[in-house]
Every structure is written in C-alpha cells, then in structure tokens.
DNA sequence: CCAAAAGTGTTCCGACTACACCCATGT
DNA sequence: ACATGGGTGTAGTCGGAACACTTTTGG
C-alpha cells in the first residue's frame, strides 16, 4: 500500500473502488480494509486505488479485486462515478466505483491469511467508513437489490452446483424478506435457465435436495445495461 | 474551443461528454458538434470537455450542457464512465458520460445561432462519430429506452403544459413502435401524477385536446438509482 | 419415531391486451 | 360537410400472490 496518495494533485486523478459482496452466514457481507492514513486511521474503507497509465479503468478495478481476494473470473460491474471536489482530503480524486459478487466458498480464509486488516462486514452492521464510501456502498446495495429482480446476477454468488433453497436464500438475504417457496421455484424454473443434476445430502439431518446448475455460464464481466 | 487537448498526458485526465436528447419532428434527436481536430476533422462528436480542477464532475457536465444549449434546469443523469486506454488518440482520457433531456420548445434556434458547427441529428440517421462516441450514444439510447418504462423522465421532454397525445408521442418515438391510445391513457392517468387544466387548440383543424401538467415538479437533476 | 428441510398444485385477483366508435373543432 | 386528431369502455387472458401437506433423510 505504498502507492497511495500522499500529496495534493494539481489535476484530478482517477481511482477506482470495488465493493465486494458475498453471502454467507445468512447475511450479505462486504469486504472492507482498515485504513492507516492520517485522517482516517482505524476507519474502514472500500478497497481500491489509483488507475495506472497503461490499464483501462475496468482493468484497474479487476486488479484491485484480485489483489484483495485472489479470486478471478467473478462478476464485476461498473457502478457509478463519484466526482465531488472534496471527496478526498488528499487532493482531487475522481473514483469510478465497481461492485463485484463472489461465491462464498471458503473465501474467508484466503483473504484473512494475507491481510490482517481486511474483513467481511455484514451490511446490516457497518462501521463508519472513510471518504464518501458510505454513499458508494449504499449505491451498490441499491443496485444489487434492483438487479436481483431483472437479471441473473444471483448466479455469481453461488457455487457451480447448488440447490433451489440456496438460491432462494440469496434472494431473501439480499432483499431482506421471505419469499414463498412454491412461487419462487415455479418462477425460477419457468425461466428455463437451470438444469437438474443428481442429488446431494446437505450437512444436516433432512431430506437431500436436488442439485441444479446454470445452463448459460455467460460472460462473467458485464457492463451496465 | 481552445481548451481542448493538444498534447499527450502523462497521467489520465478526466473529461465528460453529454449526450443531449430532445424529441421533435416525430423523431428522437441528439445534439452533435463538428470536430476540427486532426484525426477527426469533419466528423461529428458528442459535446464535452475536460473537468476543471475546482468543479465536480457533475458540475462539469452541467457546464458543457449549458455552453452548448444555453438551457438550465434540465434533466441530467450520469450514464457510464468510459475508460479504455486507447479511446482518445491524444492521450489518456477517461470520460464520464452523461445524458440530458430537454424539451423541444424552440431550442433549434438558440443553438444554431451561436455555433454553426452544432446540429441536431435523428438517432435513426447518425453520421460516423469521433472517438468511442458511437458506443456512448448507443449506451445512452439503451438507457433512455429502459428508463421510459419505469421512471418519469419523459416529463423532461415536454413543456409544462402538454396533451396526452404529446406524451404518448414521446413514448412512441423513443421506443419505436405504436402504443394503444386507450391503454396508454388508462395507465398514465392511473399513476395519479397528472393534473387536468383547461383546453387548448392545437395548430391544426381538429378537436382541441385537454391540457395536463405534472403534479410533482421534483428535482430536475437526478442521479442514477 | 422425531426433527428438519425438500418438494409439490390450485385458486384468486389485479394488470395488461386487444379492439371500434363518437366528438369537437377548423376549413 | 368533411377532414383531423381527441376522447372513451369492455371482455379476455396472463402472471403473481396466497396458501398446507407429504416426502426423504439423519439421528
């Protein structure tokens, strides 16, 4: 983290922030890093950093995502650009914010082993964030909720094989209220995007659930609209 | 236009482009300017320019909008940020694109009197555009079409008082197909956003149409989401 | 045999679609 | 009187919402 801004810029510079979401423990979680810089010491922030000269803004977002999570090939979408003059006390920084969705599979370990100042927070219990990152995060949550309704981004939060209950849990956790099981299954299956596989037994003592997979593993990096 | 980029930048700089729409002559129109710079001489481009040090990106977009149209208090929304490395041959320029909607009322005159290299183009018959502006414009059109369905941005393309037929024409022109008159009126009126006024006589020889106005003249500058 | 989650259909209601004729004005 | 756009209602269909019991496994 030596690359971070330490002086005033005469002209605006471009940075990117990546809001990284996952769902586990029945909650929507976001990855935050602990700040070490002067005015924000001890505060948490959305991971991000400057856009280099030889990379596109998309590539910069991807790079920051990989640096923090080690995960590649995940859903990454541009969110919004935050360009207020005083959003960064170090100088004029315009930030192109992205949001990413990653499956929960064992990710906790990877990140926390490499950075001890990185942690998952439930979006229900957020600390105060540095910069305008609270606004960025709220925008991301709004967008995520909205897109659940008319897109298939929920795919990106699940492993390749999953049960309908797992899928439904994703929706319930993010939207914050319960859905009718029968209606949910009818609707999802009527879309014709899922394929049945064999059976699995979950950890617990109950009837094994049918496993499904998505037919179209389409492009994992998508653009808005 | 002496402020435009003439040299390579060592670091990325931030610009903004504003896609300005209006509807008249039964067509969706976009405002374009004619380029004078080297590789694009004679080509048309979306108006825009650099973001200054003391203004937010939103303010820069507004400024460029006012410079070209002279119109204030119109709908202006951030569209998307275009950040490919090679999108500008002069150097590294990241562009935050916006789109604006303005009522058709007599606007032709204002713009063409001040700039002879500015013109309205029907989006159905576009020239080849400079930079990646074709992509920007397509993104804007997509977004505009999508938002017609779940928002009230159509307001911004009409004068304060208007007829239901005028409103319907906006939808038909932008979406590109005909709507059922009775169904359209039922739906629009059921939203409870319109107020009836008196009557008007249109230019032509036909029954005068009822005039309506929008109840909530809410904030005219809105943000995405 | 009990606990725990999986799986499965039907009814009701509201929203959207399709569709055709009379009305008020200007020329 | 006629041409032009303005204005109005109904029937049919489709999709979404509400709702409860049986099944399969592990302990």
């Amino acid at each position: 983290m030596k690359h971070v801004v330490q002086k005033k810029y005469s002209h605006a510079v471009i940075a990117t922030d990546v809001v990284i979401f996952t769902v586990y423990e029945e909650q929507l979680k976001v990855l935050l890093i602990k700040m070490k810089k002067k005015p924000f010491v001890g505060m948490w922030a959305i991971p991000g950093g400057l856009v280099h000269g030889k990379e596109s803004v998309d590539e910069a977002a991807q790079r920051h995502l990989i640096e923090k999570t080690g995960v590649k090939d995940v859903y990454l979408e541009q969110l919004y650009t935050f360009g207020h003059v005083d959003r960064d006390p170090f100088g004029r920084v315009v930030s192109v914010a992205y949001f990413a969705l990653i499956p929960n599979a064992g990710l906790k370990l990877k990140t926390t082993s490499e950075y001890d100042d990185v942690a998952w927070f439930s979006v229900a219990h957020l600390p105060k964030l540095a910069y305008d990152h609270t606004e960025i995060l709220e925008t991301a949550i709004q967008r995520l909720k909205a897109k659940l309704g008319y897109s298939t981004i929920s795919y990106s939060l699940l492993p390749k094989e999953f049960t309908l209950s797992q899928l439904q849990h994703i929706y319930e956790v993010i939207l914050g209220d319960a859905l009718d099981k029968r209606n949910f299954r009818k609707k999802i299956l009527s879309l014709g995007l899922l394929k049945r596989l064999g059976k699995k037994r979950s950890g617990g003592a109950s009837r094994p659930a049918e496993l499904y997979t998505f037919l179209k593993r389409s492009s994992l990096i998508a653009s808005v609209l």
Side-chain angles (χ1 to χ4, degrees), chain A:
Chain A
M1 300 293 284
K2 284 284 177 54
H3 304 290
V4 246
V5 191
Q6 295 294 353
K7 52 163 186 171
K8 293 244 178 195
Y9 298 102
S10 48
H11 299 96
V13 296
I14 299 165
T16 183
D17 290 301
V18 186
V19 181
I20 305 168
F21 288 118
T22 194
V23 171
Y24 74 95
E25 291 175 353
E26 310 275 308
Q27 293 191 307
L28 177 62
K29 305 273 188 175
V30 61
L31 191 75
L32 300 177
I33 61 174
K34 199 178 234 170
M35 299 283 297
K36 290 173 179 165
K37 281 162 52 176
K38 296 184 230 167
F40 295 125
V41 173
M43 292 181 82
W44 294 85
I46 295 164
L50 297 182
V51 175
H52 294 163
K54 293 294 182 185
E55 67 187 353
S56 70
V57 180
D58 286 353
E59 286 161 357
Q62 234 177 115
R63 176 170 58 80
H64 286 289
L65 173 61
I66 292 169
E67 280 174 8
K68 296 300 174 301
T69 64
V71 182
K72 224 183 166 323
D73 291 335
V74 299
Y75 185 85
L76 182 62
E77 167 180 325
Q78 191 184 301
L79 177 64
Y80 197 80
T81 297
F82 294 83
H84 282 283
V85 174
D86 296 324
R87 56 176 298 282
D88 188 323
F90 294 102
R92 185 68 202 281
V93 181
V94 171
S95 174
V96 184
Y98 286 74
F99 79 96
L101 303 179
I102 60 185
N104 54 7
L107 193 64
K108 267 183 295 184
L109 315 167
K110 263 194 175 171
T111 58
T112 48
S113 64
E114 293 180 11
Y115 306 81
D116 57 48
D117 55 348
V118 176
W120 290 104
F121 284 79
S122 163
V123 299
H125 306 102
L126 288 172
K128 226 169 242 174
L129 301 185
Y131 305 106
D132 54 357
H133 285 189
T134 298
E135 183 187 357
I136 295 177
L137 185 46
E138 279 168 2
T139 306
I141 293 169
Q142 261 186 281
R143 178 93 130 243
L144 175 59
K145 284 186 183 180
K147 288 206 107 175
L148 271 196
Y150 63 88
S151 78
T152 57
I153 48 171
S154 54
Y155 297 12
S156 310
L157 290 164
L158 289 171
K160 279 174 193 164
E161 305 192 344
F162 55 89
T163 69
L164 292 184
S165 295
Q166 285 179 293
L167 181 57
Q168 185 175 345
H169 275 67
I170 297 287
Y171 277 81
E172 291 178 333
V173 164
I174 296 175
L175 297 178
D177 54 20
L179 301 175
D180 180 85
K181 200 196 328 182
R182 283 173 288 194
N183 292 337
F184 180 80
R185 287 166 182 241
K186 248 182 299 177
K187 195 159 148 190
I188 292 290
L189 291 175
S190 75
L191 298 176
L193 300 173
L194 299 185
K195 195 173 80 180
R196 295 174 70 121
L197 306 169
K199 286 200 168 192
K200 86 148 187 186
R201 56 174 48 91
S202 60
S206 99
R207 175 175 175 175
E210 195 75 34
L211 283 172
Y212 288 82
T213 195
F214 290 106
L215 290 174
K216 303 183 196 169
R217 277 265 156 202
S218 55
S219 68
L220 292 159
I221 307 244
S223 308
V224 169
L225 295 195

